[in-house]
Amino acid sequence: MVDFWEPAAPGVLKLPSGRLVRGRGLRRPLPEGREPAFALYLLGKEPPPVSWEARWLRWPDFRLPSDRAAARDAFHEAWERAATERVEVACWGGQGRTGTALACLAVLDGVPAGEAVAYVRRHYAARAVETPWQRRFVARFR
């Protein structure tokens, strides 16, 4: 059994600081291994309840977060908690919204905003961050 706290586990992004965050698509079954301690769900509607602590950020598919201040706050919380806890970031497909959020976490971790999409595509998923406006959101994220 693989523990997603390990950087070699599928879907785990290792940030430059060493923090580990699992990205995933909720349309797939929960991966084997330990459950997250905290999850950030990026969906257009409220997700079903889970047995771990979770936060929902309203974010329609292929778009941007409905509340950018709430998104910034949620990203900070996920990044801070990833220092000591198993953190998961997920949307329905695990690419666009999840990739965008992971790129913002990379910016918080010190990756220059202009390089964060490439970082996430190299270390998480080649198709992460799907739309031009998602790329622009990351490039302007501070």
Side-chain angles (χ1 to χ4, degrees):
M1 178 167 64
V2 175
D3 182 345
F4 80 77
W5 194 241
E6 298 173 18
V12 173
L13 174 67
K14 183 176 183 180
L15 295 167
S17 66
R19 285 174 166 90
L20 301 173
V21 180
R22 179 174 71 185
R24 79 174 177 108
L26 295 172
R27 69 178 175 202
R28 294 180 199 91
L30 185 67
E32 289 184 13
R34 295 171 65 189
E35 293 178 342
F38 173 76
L40 176 58
Y41 294 125
L42 316 166
L43 299 166
K45 62 180 183 174
E46 192 169 358
V50 291
S51 62
W52 48 86
E53 188 177 351
R55 182 169 177 176
W56 168 49
L57 183 62
R58 185 182 301 276
W59 191 333
D61 201 9
F62 296 106
R63 303 230 173 128
L64 296 175
S66 298
D67 183 334
R68 294 183 188 186
R72 174 177 303 286
D73 182 56
F75 298 158
H76 276 276
E77 180 179 6
W79 179 78
E80 288 174 10
R81 293 180 76 153
T84 59
E85 298 176 63
R86 293 178 313 281
V87 172
E88 171 177 270
V89 175
C91 64
W92 186 244
Q95 300 290 318
R97 293 168 285 183
T98 297
T100 302
L102 292 174
C104 291
L105 296 182
V107 171
L108 293 175
D109 207 62
V111 175
E115 299 172 22
V117 171
Y119 182 89
V120 169
R121 287 179 173 170
R122 189 170 50 254
H123 298 287
Y124 169 67
R127 295 184 304 145
V129 191
E130 295 175 315
T131 67
W133 41 92
Q134 288 172 342
R135 288 191 297 274
R136 191 169 40 249
F137 180 81
V138 173
R140 295 176 178 168
F141 185 77
R142 302 281 180 250

